[in-house]
Structure formats: C-alpha cells, structure tokens
Amino acid sequence: MTRTATIVLLLAIATSAAPARAQTPAPLTVGSVTASAGEKVSGYIEVPAGVDSATRIPVTVVRGARAGPTLALIAGTHGYETQPIIALQRVRRALDPAALAGTVVLVHIANPPSYFGRTIYYSPVDGKNLNRVYPGRADGTVSERIAFAITREVIEKADYIVDLHAGDGNESLRPYAYWTPLGGDARVDSLQREMILAFGHDLIVVDTTRPKDLASSVYTTNTALLLGKPAITTENGYLGESAEPMIRRNVDGVFRLMRWLRMVPGAVPMPRRVTWLHRFEVLRSPETGTWHPAVERAQMVREGALLGYLTDVFGDGRTDIRASFAGEVLYVVATPPMSRGEPLAMIGAPR
Ligand SMILES: [Zn+2]
C-alpha cells in the first residue's frame, strides 16, 4: 500500500467513526414551519380550499442540536380523541432541542374540522373518516386533502411515525396497540413490533389484514409502513375527557419511545408480560336506535355474554348483543346514540 493510499484509508476510517454530534443537521421544513438545528418552531400546514373549505393543521418541529432520527407524532386524526392532543401540548413544552438528538415533528391536531366541530369518527365537512382515506388526494374533499398533506409533509419526511389514537368521544377504551405486519419488509415489521413495546403497550392486537397497496393504503400508519417506515397506532384514552392518567400515559409512551430511539438519554424497561390478541372482533350495530351497554372497558367476558342491548327510538323493543367468543372488552360505546353499522364494542382474545 502506498503512503497516499494509507492516508486516504485512515481519513476514511476517521470520517466514518466521527461522532454524530459533529454533524449539525440542516434546517427541516414542515408546512410553513422551518426549524434549524437547536430550534423549536410552531406553525401550520395549510390545507387550501378545494371542493370544500380550507383548514390548517397545527404543527411543531423540534430540531435537535445533534443528528438523529426524525420521529413524527400525530394526534387528533379523530378529532374527539382528546388525550393524545393534550399530551402533545405537554411534549412540546417538555422537549429541549439543545438536549435532543434528531427531530420530533408534532402534529397537534391532524383533523381540525372534527376537533372544533366536536365530531366522532367523521369530519363534519365531508362526512369521511380521516383514517380511511389515506394516502389522500390533492383534489379531494377536505379529509382527503388533509391525508394528502400529512403524507407529503409529515410521513414522507419522517423515519418513524406514531399515530396516537384513543377511544373516541363515545368510546370507553382500555389501552392497547395494533401490530400490523404487512409481510413485505421484515425489518419494518420487526421495528414496528419493538416500537409498540418501547411505547409501553402490553396488550397488542395483531392484524395481518391491512392493505398492501400504497395507492389505497387507507390508514395513516399503513401509509408509512408501505413507504418502508416503521409506524405504530396506539390507543390510550376514552370518552373525550381530559383524563389525567391517560394524558400521562401518552406523554410517557412518547418519551419511552424517544429514549429507545436514543433521541434523549435513559433506559426503557420493556413490558414484562405481553398479551398478543390474534383474535378480535368489532361488533357492529344491526339497527339504528338507542344503545344500553352492559359491560365496562377491560372487562373479561365469556362467549355469549350480554354486552348490551338496543331499543328503537321510542324505547321499545330489545335487541341483545352478545359476545361471539370469550375475551376482553377493549372498548365499548358508552353513550346512547347508535346508528346501524357503527361499532358497539371490540373484543379481543389471544386465540
Ligand atoms: Zn381513532
């Protein structure tokens, strides 16, 4: 080896072994927000008017002083799932860009029409469920334009994504998460699983039926997975209340995940006992009327157990709804209004 070659080789080794802190991250732009290294900046992703009205999605970009992954945290995909929304306001305050490796993109309220309109499941503008219209379209209705904007501005710019859900305004829910391996990329499937455990979830629904076509990815998280990015959907909270333990659970999960990704220092103890729910069912209402639940969230039920009953709008008649297998009540609708085809409850079991 010539002396020049030796020097070049040594230089190459020195460069590759350089500590991450030597690199200063370039500025990152999300919507109207540009954050340079060491900055925390808030603003909006503008969703222009189209066939219906415009909206704007509040976002914060926390650009760490040191290099690291970009983690996107999305709250309020369903606008009345409030605990993750409050949690991200706290995460925004708590994050110190000077002490952060990498970048955190906080989507504070993904679905402002639903949040401010106080609607469950559906946008008050176009009647669509934001978590069923991904990857969205630039020329669609407002939910589709929001999905398009979040795909472009958030998912495509992130390395890891969390879509933070809760029981909706009508749903009494116990915490759980979804593992949705697509089978196409073992690395992504495995990292998704690890992220769920790092977040602290010990009750996990295994769903292998998610779409595998990016053009009709349907869900926020599924869009990210199909783009090769590990992503998880978490469920922590219920009934649209500012339930403090559930707000804290969301904040804790986010910081656990940031520690696991080595964006902030500290260890992450993984859950000791994890239950994987391979069998699950969302029971749907056979009629429109009034719902009387007979179970609570986290209740264990036997096969055939009464989950609740429906009456008509006059209070007459009675249709019993029963569990089709033994399992745990992951959520139950806890308020009376019920439309045909809508969820009544979700039951899960290991097998
Ligand atoms: Zn949701």
Side-chain angles (χ1 to χ4, degrees):
M1 193 181 288
T2 66
R3 179 176 240 199
T4 314
T6 310
I7 291 166
V8 168
L9 182 63
L10 286 171
L11 273 172
I13 291 167
T15 306
S16 67
R21 74 176 70 92
Q23 306 159 18
T24 302
L28 178 70
T29 298
V30 175
S32 66
V33 175
T34 297
S36 298
E39 284 186 344
K40 171 159 56 177
V41 186
S42 294
Y44 294 89
I45 299 172
E46 299 290 344
V47 179
V51 295
D52 47 27
S53 50
T55 190
R56 58 199 322 219
I57 302 165
V59 291
T60 297
V61 179
V62 188
R63 191 69 154 161
R66 290 175 289 131
T70 296
L71 171 66
L73 304 169
I74 302 172
T77 292
H78 295 128
Y80 222 133
E81 297 176 359
T82 53
Q83 298 86 4
I85 294 172
I86 308 293
L88 290 198
Q89 294 173 354
R90 293 191 190 173
V91 171
R92 174 179 178 269
R93 275 199 296 277
L95 278 176
D96 175 9
L100 181 70
T103 303
V104 181
V105 177
L106 302 158
V107 177
H108 293 286
I109 307 169
N111 195 344
S114 171
Y115 177 75
F116 293 111
R118 297 197 181 101
T119 56
I120 59 160
Y121 304 155
Y122 315 112
S123 168
V125 177
D126 61 13
K128 291 176 185 169
N129 182 334
L130 176 57
N131 206 25
R132 298 293 183 275
V133 298
Y134 272 83
R137 352 172 357 141
D139 61 351
T141 61
V142 71
S143 297
E144 293 165 329
R145 299 199 306 281
I146 289 172
F148 181 81
I150 290 176
T151 300
R152 287 290 171 87
E153 291 297 317
V154 179
I155 296 173
E156 288 184 2
K157 293 178 180 181
D159 302 309
Y160 301 89
I161 293 96
V162 185
D163 196 22
L164 298 123
H165 288 250
D168 219 320
N170 57 330
E171 292 172 339
S172 180
L173 178 146
R174 65 95 74 223
Y176 68 95
Y178 290 94
W179 184 43
T180 60
L182 293 171
D185 186 332
R187 176 191 156 269
V188 170
D189 287 349
S190 165
L191 282 170
Q192 186 198 19
R193 189 177 180 281
E194 295 295 306
M195 284 170 71
I196 294 166
L197 299 173
F199 201 93
H201 278 285
D202 59 3
L203 191 68
I204 301 161
V205 171
V206 182
D207 184 358
T208 56
T209 65
R210 297 287 166 111
K212 295 177 174 61
D213 174 13
L214 183 58
S216 52
S217 53
V218 181
Y219 306 94
T220 313
T221 304
N222 206 48
T223 310
L225 295 172
L226 288 166
L227 287 167
K229 296 161 190 255
I232 61 173
T233 304
T234 57
E235 300 275 358
N236 295 289
Y238 42 73
L239 294 169
E241 304 168 356
S242 299
E244 183 62 27
M246 290 297 115
I247 295 169
R248 268 195 221 144
R249 209 183 145 88
N250 280 282
V251 174
D252 289 350
V254 163
F255 275 94
R256 287 174 56 102
L257 187 58
M258 283 192 276
R259 292 202 297 275
W260 184 76
L261 290 168
R262 302 194 187 288
M263 301 174 76
V264 292
V268 185
M270 289 293 189
R272 284 198 188 154
R273 271 194 58 197
V274 178
T275 305
W276 302 90
L277 303 173
H278 293 273
R279 189 174 187 190
F280 59 92
E281 182 180 5
V282 175
L283 293 104
R284 292 182 179 275
S285 183
E287 24 189 279
T288 292
T290 302
W291 167 242
H292 302 268
V295 291
E296 305 275 348
R297 61 176 179 261
Q299 188 173 329
M300 303 302 293
V301 293
R302 294 190 209 172
E303 183 180 343
L306 181 71
L307 301 177
Y309 65 92
L310 290 152
T311 68
D312 68 17
V313 291
F314 303 101
D316 289 339
R318 173 169 168 142
T319 304
D320 287 348
I321 303 296
R322 296 184 177 279
S324 51
F325 57 90
E328 181 166 358
V329 177
L330 302 182
Y331 68 79
V332 58
V333 169
T335 57
M338 187 53 66
S339 295
R340 186 178 183 166
E342 288 196 333
L344 295 161
M346 182 173 180
I347 310 288
R351 53 185 53 80

